[in-house]
Amino acid sequence: MSRIFRALLVVLVLGSCGEREGTAPRNLDNACAILTERPQYVSAFRAAKRNWGVEPHVLMAMIYQESKFISNNRTPHQYALGVIPMGRQSSAFGYSQALDGTWREYQRAEGGMGARRDDIRDSADFMGWYMTQTTEDTGIPLNDTRNQYLAYHEGRTGYLRGTYRAKSWLVRIAGEVADRSTMYQQQLTRCRAARF
């Protein structure tokens, strides 16, 4: 075997090992499996709970809905005439799908300029910060996953105006996020990996 072929084989084998950048955990319907596969999530959710009071199961359900735990998730491209790329639907990026402007606001207020949307710790902290602001501005409790999600999706001003009421699909999704939060909460009570 030539040296080049052996080197390529080694690169392929090593590249297939471990977590690939941007990939989702294997079992998204099991909170314990997620935390066992990605132990760095435990410390991220623990820090967000300590800093902002947001429960891990609430964060996990919202992250699932926003990005399916894919660190570099982006909105799809838009196309003119079905083939001409026109850019993305929005600037949403990362675990939290935070928009550029909202992320910059967080960086100035809390996260520092080095905070990254594709880092689980920064994203969980961002979501905790945002949800705490939502509680202050709207009165939605931190553990009200359904309404926190509606305010996260529509923005606090949109939530207060009730823009979600004209979006039956969004109200349905918010209910699914709340159900997932309850499911994750029940799973985490029995999970060794979760030490919150």
PDB file of all heavy atoms in Angstrom, residues 100 102-116 126 129:
ATOM      1  N   ASP A 100     -29.039  37.852  14.648  1.00  0.00           N
ATOM      2  CA  ASP A 100     -27.823  38.665  14.803  1.00  0.00           C
ATOM      3  C   ASP A 100     -28.012  39.807  15.796  1.00  0.00           C
ATOM      4  O   ASP A 100     -27.204  39.999  16.700  1.00  0.00           O
ATOM      5  CB  ASP A 100     -27.387  39.248  13.453  1.00  0.00           C
ATOM      6  CG  ASP A 100     -26.826  38.205  12.495  1.00  0.00           C
ATOM      7  OD1 ASP A 100     -26.581  37.052  12.917  1.00  0.00           O
ATOM      8  OD2 ASP A 100     -26.643  38.557  11.311  1.00  0.00           O
ATOM      9  N   THR A 102     -30.283  40.365  18.193  1.00  0.00           N
ATOM     10  CA  THR A 102     -30.554  39.941  19.567  1.00  0.00           C
ATOM     11  C   THR A 102     -29.289  39.371  20.197  1.00  0.00           C
ATOM     12  O   THR A 102     -29.011  39.606  21.374  1.00  0.00           O
ATOM     13  CB  THR A 102     -31.687  38.896  19.588  1.00  0.00           C
ATOM     14  OG1 THR A 102     -32.767  39.364  18.789  1.00  0.00           O
ATOM     15  CG2 THR A 102     -32.172  38.648  20.996  1.00  0.00           C
ATOM     16  N   TRP A 103     -28.507  38.647  19.405  1.00  0.00           N
ATOM     17  CA  TRP A 103     -27.257  38.090  19.923  1.00  0.00           C
ATOM     18  C   TRP A 103     -26.282  39.211  20.283  1.00  0.00           C
ATOM     19  O   TRP A 103     -25.632  39.157  21.320  1.00  0.00           O
ATOM     20  CB  TRP A 103     -26.626  37.131  18.916  1.00  0.00           C
ATOM     21  CG  TRP A 103     -25.456  36.400  19.504  1.00  0.00           C
ATOM     22  CD1 TRP A 103     -24.143  36.706  19.334  1.00  0.00           C
ATOM     23  CD2 TRP A 103     -25.509  35.289  20.394  1.00  0.00           C
ATOM     24  NE1 TRP A 103     -23.361  35.828  20.058  1.00  0.00           N
ATOM     25  CE2 TRP A 103     -24.175  34.948  20.715  1.00  0.00           C
ATOM     26  CE3 TRP A 103     -26.539  34.549  20.946  1.00  0.00           C
ATOM     27  CZ2 TRP A 103     -23.857  33.896  21.565  1.00  0.00           C
ATOM     28  CZ3 TRP A 103     -26.220  33.487  21.787  1.00  0.00           C
ATOM     29  CH2 TRP A 103     -24.898  33.184  22.091  1.00  0.00           C
ATOM     30  N   ARG A 104     -26.196  40.237  19.451  1.00  0.00           N
ATOM     31  CA  ARG A 104     -25.305  41.375  19.772  1.00  0.00           C
ATOM     32  C   ARG A 104     -25.764  42.077  21.043  1.00  0.00           C
ATOM     33  O   ARG A 104     -24.936  42.486  21.867  1.00  0.00           O
ATOM     34  CB  ARG A 104     -25.255  42.351  18.596  1.00  0.00           C
ATOM     35  CG  ARG A 104     -24.332  41.900  17.470  1.00  0.00           C
ATOM     36  CD  ARG A 104     -24.062  42.995  16.452  1.00  0.00           C
ATOM     37  NE  ARG A 104     -25.259  43.437  15.775  1.00  0.00           N
ATOM     38  CZ  ARG A 104     -25.751  42.888  14.668  1.00  0.00           C
ATOM     39  NH1 ARG A 104     -25.134  41.859  14.114  1.00  0.00           N
ATOM     40  NH2 ARG A 104     -26.849  43.357  14.115  1.00  0.00           N
ATOM     41  N   GLU A 105     -27.060  42.198  21.221  1.00  0.00           N
ATOM     42  CA  GLU A 105     -27.603  42.796  22.449  1.00  0.00           C
ATOM     43  C   GLU A 105     -27.177  41.976  23.667  1.00  0.00           C
ATOM     44  O   GLU A 105     -26.746  42.526  24.682  1.00  0.00           O
ATOM     45  CB  GLU A 105     -29.133  42.853  22.354  1.00  0.00           C
ATOM     46  CG  GLU A 105     -29.821  43.472  23.533  1.00  0.00           C
ATOM     47  CD  GLU A 105     -31.339  43.400  23.410  1.00  0.00           C
ATOM     48  OE1 GLU A 105     -31.861  43.251  22.287  1.00  0.00           O
ATOM     49  OE2 GLU A 105     -31.992  43.486  24.463  1.00  0.00           O
ATOM     50  N   TYR A 106     -27.270  40.663  23.555  1.00  0.00           N
ATOM     51  CA  TYR A 106     -26.824  39.770  24.634  1.00  0.00           C
ATOM     52  C   TYR A 106     -25.325  39.913  24.879  1.00  0.00           C
ATOM     53  O   TYR A 106     -24.888  40.008  26.026  1.00  0.00           O
ATOM     54  CB  TYR A 106     -27.174  38.322  24.280  1.00  0.00           C
ATOM     55  CG  TYR A 106     -26.432  37.293  25.093  1.00  0.00           C
ATOM     56  CD1 TYR A 106     -26.737  37.080  26.429  1.00  0.00           C
ATOM     57  CD2 TYR A 106     -25.404  36.536  24.530  1.00  0.00           C
ATOM     58  CE1 TYR A 106     -26.057  36.128  27.173  1.00  0.00           C
ATOM     59  CE2 TYR A 106     -24.721  35.589  25.264  1.00  0.00           C
ATOM     60  CZ  TYR A 106     -25.051  35.388  26.585  1.00  0.00           C
ATOM     61  OH  TYR A 106     -24.365  34.462  27.325  1.00  0.00           O
ATOM     62  N   GLN A 107     -24.539  39.951  23.812  1.00  0.00           N
ATOM     63  CA  GLN A 107     -23.092  40.086  23.963  1.00  0.00           C
ATOM     64  C   GLN A 107     -22.742  41.368  24.718  1.00  0.00           C
ATOM     65  O   GLN A 107     -21.881  41.364  25.594  1.00  0.00           O
ATOM     66  CB  GLN A 107     -22.399  40.082  22.599  1.00  0.00           C
ATOM     67  CG  GLN A 107     -22.340  38.719  21.953  1.00  0.00           C
ATOM     68  CD  GLN A 107     -21.679  38.766  20.597  1.00  0.00           C
ATOM     69  OE1 GLN A 107     -22.038  39.586  19.744  1.00  0.00           O
ATOM     70  NE2 GLN A 107     -20.704  37.891  20.386  1.00  0.00           N
ATOM     71  N   ARG A 108     -23.402  42.454  24.376  1.00  0.00           N
ATOM     72  CA  ARG A 108     -23.132  43.719  25.067  1.00  0.00           C
ATOM     73  C   ARG A 108     -23.565  43.660  26.532  1.00  0.00           C
ATOM     74  O   ARG A 108     -22.878  44.171  27.402  1.00  0.00           O
ATOM     75  CB  ARG A 108     -23.845  44.872  24.361  1.00  0.00           C
ATOM     76  CG  ARG A 108     -23.197  45.308  23.075  1.00  0.00           C
ATOM     77  CD  ARG A 108     -23.775  46.614  22.546  1.00  0.00           C
ATOM     78  NE  ARG A 108     -25.185  46.514  22.232  1.00  0.00           N
ATOM     79  CZ  ARG A 108     -25.685  46.129  21.056  1.00  0.00           C
ATOM     80  NH1 ARG A 108     -24.853  45.804  20.077  1.00  0.00           N
ATOM     81  NH2 ARG A 108     -26.980  46.066  20.850  1.00  0.00           N
ATOM     82  N   ALA A 109     -24.697  43.031  26.792  1.00  0.00           N
ATOM     83  CA  ALA A 109     -25.256  43.024  28.142  1.00  0.00           C
ATOM     84  C   ALA A 109     -24.624  41.978  29.048  1.00  0.00           C
ATOM     85  O   ALA A 109     -24.387  42.245  30.223  1.00  0.00           O
ATOM     86  CB  ALA A 109     -26.763  42.792  28.084  1.00  0.00           C
ATOM     87  N   GLU A 110     -24.347  40.794  28.516  1.00  0.00           N
ATOM     88  CA  GLU A 110     -23.952  39.683  29.389  1.00  0.00           C
ATOM     89  C   GLU A 110     -22.817  38.815  28.880  1.00  0.00           C
ATOM     90  O   GLU A 110     -21.946  38.436  29.627  1.00  0.00           O
ATOM     91  CB  GLU A 110     -25.160  38.755  29.622  1.00  0.00           C
ATOM     92  CG  GLU A 110     -26.300  39.387  30.363  1.00  0.00           C
ATOM     93  CD  GLU A 110     -25.978  39.710  31.809  1.00  0.00           C
ATOM     94  OE1 GLU A 110     -25.112  39.045  32.410  1.00  0.00           O
ATOM     95  OE2 GLU A 110     -26.593  40.644  32.337  1.00  0.00           O
ATOM     96  N   GLY A 111     -22.871  38.434  27.614  1.00  0.00           N
ATOM     97  CA  GLY A 111     -22.038  37.347  27.124  1.00  0.00           C
ATOM     98  C   GLY A 111     -20.633  37.711  26.722  1.00  0.00           C
ATOM     99  O   GLY A 111     -19.789  36.841  26.556  1.00  0.00           O
ATOM    100  N   GLY A 112     -20.363  38.986  26.529  1.00  0.00           N
ATOM    101  CA  GLY A 112     -19.055  39.370  26.021  1.00  0.00           C
ATOM    102  C   GLY A 112     -18.966  39.119  24.534  1.00  0.00           C
ATOM    103  O   GLY A 112     -19.723  38.337  23.969  1.00  0.00           O
ATOM    104  N   MET A 113     -18.048  39.788  23.898  1.00  0.00           N
ATOM    105  CA  MET A 113     -17.939  39.703  22.440  1.00  0.00           C
ATOM    106  C   MET A 113     -17.465  38.326  21.967  1.00  0.00           C
ATOM    107  O   MET A 113     -17.632  37.978  20.809  1.00  0.00           O
ATOM    108  CB  MET A 113     -17.020  40.802  21.910  1.00  0.00           C
ATOM    109  CG  MET A 113     -17.582  42.210  22.147  1.00  0.00           C
ATOM    110  SD  MET A 113     -19.329  42.407  21.719  1.00  0.00           S
ATOM    111  CE  MET A 113     -19.239  42.332  19.951  1.00  0.00           C
ATOM    112  N   GLY A 114     -16.892  37.530  22.861  1.00  0.00           N
ATOM    113  CA  GLY A 114     -16.433  36.195  22.466  1.00  0.00           C
ATOM    114  C   GLY A 114     -17.512  35.132  22.513  1.00  0.00           C
ATOM    115  O   GLY A 114     -17.276  33.992  22.105  1.00  0.00           O
ATOM    116  N   ALA A 115     -18.715  35.456  22.998  1.00  0.00           N
ATOM    117  CA  ALA A 115     -19.801  34.478  23.069  1.00  0.00           C
ATOM    118  C   ALA A 115     -20.188  34.038  21.659  1.00  0.00           C
ATOM    119  O   ALA A 115     -20.257  34.847  20.746  1.00  0.00           O
ATOM    120  CB  ALA A 115     -20.997  35.073  23.802  1.00  0.00           C
ATOM    121  N   ARG A 116     -20.439  32.715  21.525  1.00  0.00           N
ATOM    122  CA  ARG A 116     -20.738  32.154  20.197  1.00  0.00           C
ATOM    123  C   ARG A 116     -22.051  31.378  20.224  1.00  0.00           C
ATOM    124  O   ARG A 116     -22.297  30.600  21.146  1.00  0.00           O
ATOM    125  CB  ARG A 116     -19.609  31.219  19.771  1.00  0.00           C
ATOM    126  CG  ARG A 116     -18.299  31.940  19.542  1.00  0.00           C
ATOM    127  CD  ARG A 116     -17.174  31.014  19.090  1.00  0.00           C
ATOM    128  NE  ARG A 116     -17.575  29.690  18.713  1.00  0.00           N
ATOM    129  CZ  ARG A 116     -17.058  28.582  19.235  1.00  0.00           C
ATOM    130  NH1 ARG A 116     -16.130  28.646  20.154  1.00  0.00           N
ATOM    131  NH2 ARG A 116     -17.466  27.389  18.825  1.00  0.00           N
ATOM    132  N   PHE A 126     -27.555  32.491  26.846  1.00  0.00           N
ATOM    133  CA  PHE A 126     -28.357  33.454  26.093  1.00  0.00           C
ATOM    134  C   PHE A 126     -29.842  33.207  26.309  1.00  0.00           C
ATOM    135  O   PHE A 126     -30.613  34.133  26.566  1.00  0.00           O
ATOM    136  CB  PHE A 126     -28.032  33.370  24.593  1.00  0.00           C
ATOM    137  CG  PHE A 126     -29.053  34.039  23.736  1.00  0.00           C
ATOM    138  CD1 PHE A 126     -29.053  35.420  23.576  1.00  0.00           C
ATOM    139  CD2 PHE A 126     -30.051  33.300  23.099  1.00  0.00           C
ATOM    140  CE1 PHE A 126     -30.016  36.054  22.796  1.00  0.00           C
ATOM    141  CE2 PHE A 126     -31.019  33.923  22.324  1.00  0.00           C
ATOM    142  CZ  PHE A 126     -30.998  35.309  22.171  1.00  0.00           C
ATOM    143  N   TRP A 129     -30.895  34.234  29.742  1.00  0.00           N
ATOM    144  CA  TRP A 129     -30.947  35.701  29.798  1.00  0.00           C
ATOM    145  C   TRP A 129     -32.205  36.220  29.111  1.00  0.00           C
ATOM    146  O   TRP A 129     -32.924  37.056  29.660  1.00  0.00           O
ATOM    147  CB  TRP A 129     -29.690  36.274  29.117  1.00  0.00           C
ATOM    148  CG  TRP A 129     -29.733  37.737  28.844  1.00  0.00           C
ATOM    149  CD1 TRP A 129     -29.493  38.740  29.734  1.00  0.00           C
ATOM    150  CD2 TRP A 129     -30.016  38.364  27.583  1.00  0.00           C
ATOM    151  NE1 TRP A 129     -29.610  39.967  29.099  1.00  0.00           N
ATOM    152  CE2 TRP A 129     -29.936  39.757  27.784  1.00  0.00           C
ATOM    153  CE3 TRP A 129     -30.320  37.890  26.317  1.00  0.00           C
ATOM    154  CZ2 TRP A 129     -30.149  40.671  26.758  1.00  0.00           C
ATOM    155  CZ3 TRP A 129     -30.538  38.797  25.303  1.00  0.00           C
ATOM    156  CH2 TRP A 129     -30.455  40.173  25.522  1.00  0.00           C
TER     157      TRP A 129
END
